[in-house]
Structures are given as structure tokens and as C-alpha cells.
Amino acid sequence: ARGTALAASYSYPLSKRTNLYTSYARLRNNASGRFGLSSSSTAIAPPTTAPGSDPSVFALGMRHVF
């Protein structure tokens, strides 16, 4: 099994304590690959059940530090 991952992210500061962020990730599995996408210990796109599936994830958000 083999998989190839691509990820990109961007953060835009609105102020000293607030920012907007976006990220995108894509994983290409070969015909027998069953890999998924995860962040730290959280599964964003769990391992697929069908071999060869190609999961992708898009995130957009705002962060404010109090």
C-alpha cells in the first residue's frame, strides 16, 4: 500500500489577537492503499474502507485569543 499527501495552510492576522485561517489537504492512495488524514490524535478523514479511495479535507475558521 502506498499513499501520497499534499497539504497547504494560510493564516491572515486581523489584529494582534484575532486571525483567519484556511487549510486544505488531499491524499492519493494507490489501488491497495487505505490511508486517512489526521491532525495530532484526531482523525479528520478516517482510514477508508475501500482500497484506493482519495480523501480530501478543507477547513476555514477564525481564532480569537482572550
Side-chain angles (χ1 to χ4, degrees), residues 24-46:
Y24 175 76
R26 181 176 75 191
L27 177 65
R28 287 187 176 174
N29 286 309
N30 69 357
S32 62
R34 292 185 177 197
F35 300 103
L37 298 168
S38 63
S39 171
S40 300
S41 62
T42 305
I44 297 171

Side-chain angles (χ1 to χ4, degrees), residues 8-10 20-25 44 56-62:
S9 63
Y10 181 74
L20 298 175
Y21 64 88
T22 186
S23 63
Y24 175 76
I44 297 171
S56 62
V57 177
F58 176 76
L60 179 66
M62 178 184 287

Side-chain angles (χ1 to χ4, degrees), residues 3 5-6 9 15 17-18 31-32 41 43 52 54 58-59 61 63-64:
L6 169 71
S9 63
S15 70
R17 301 183 325 165
T18 305
S32 62
S41 62
D54 298 329
F58 176 76
R63 184 186 77 131
H64 181 77

